[in-house]
Amino acid sequence: QVQLVESGGGLVQAGGSLSLSCVASARTDSSYALAWFRQAPGKEREFVAGITWYGDYSDYSKSVKGRFTISRDNVLNSVVLSMVNLQPEDTAVYYCAARLTTTRFYINRDPGRYDYWGQGTQVTVSS
C-alpha cells in the first residue's frame, strides 16, 4: 500500500548540512506516520525522527534533537529530514519508514512496528 524511495544522502564535513527526501506512494484515504531510522555498521537500527499524518506532532531522538527537523507534504506525499551541524557519529544508512495509524500524538520508535521501508540512503560525515 505504501512504497518509499529515499534520496539526498552523500558525504559532508562535520558541521555541514544535508537534507534527505522520501517520496511515498499511498492511497489518498490512508493515514500513516512517517519516520526516519538509521543504521551504522555493526549497530542496531535506531529511531531518528517521526511525524504524524497531520503533521501536528513530531518526535526526535535525543541525539539529533535541535539539529534535525522532520517535515512532510501530504499533497506531494513526501517527507524531508533536514540535518544541520552533522557530526561523524551521524554516519549511517538512513531509512524512511511508514506505518498505518490514526494516532495524532504519538510516534512509535520501534522499527519492528513499521510496515514499509525504503531502500536506504548513505550519509557519511567526515571530520
Side-chain angles (χ1 to χ4, degrees):
Q1 293 180 317
V2 179
Q3 294 181 332
L4 307 172
V5 180
E6 307 102 327
S7 63
L11 173 64
V12 297
Q13 295 182 348
S17 302
L18 199 64
S19 292
L20 306 181
S21 177
C22 174
V23 178
S25 176
R27 293 176 58 85
T28 57
D29 59 351
S30 298
S31 61
Y32 54 93
L34 287 170
W36 288 92
F37 292 81
R38 66 186 182 187
Q39 187 168 23
K43 296 184 178 180
E44 296 182 341
R45 188 167 299 186
E46 65 174 348
F47 173 81
V48 176
I51 190 168
T52 59
W53 169 253
Y54 293 96
D56 54 355
Y57 181 82
S58 59
D59 191 27
Y60 302 88
S61 67
K62 292 185 180 297
S63 63
V64 307
K65 188 176 182 180
R67 298 187 298 118
F68 292 9
T69 301
I70 188 171
S71 61
R72 70 184 300 168
D73 187 330
N74 289 344
V75 175
L76 299 178
N77 289 325
S78 65
V79 59
V80 173
L81 183 68
S82 299
M83 307 179 291
V84 300
N85 193 24
L86 285 163
Q87 301 298 312
E89 53 264 37
D90 295 316
T91 296
V93 176
Y94 284 69
Y95 297 91
C96 180
R99 63 187 296 264
L100 295 174
T101 179
T102 57
T103 61
R104 296 181 59 185
F105 308 106
Y106 173 77
I107 296 294
N108 200 305
R109 296 187 175 190
D110 183 0
R113 299 300 181 91
Y114 285 78
D115 305 297
Y116 309 99
W117 294 84
Q119 81 287 352
T121 184
Q122 176 71 47
V123 172
T124 302
V125 184
S126 64
S127 60

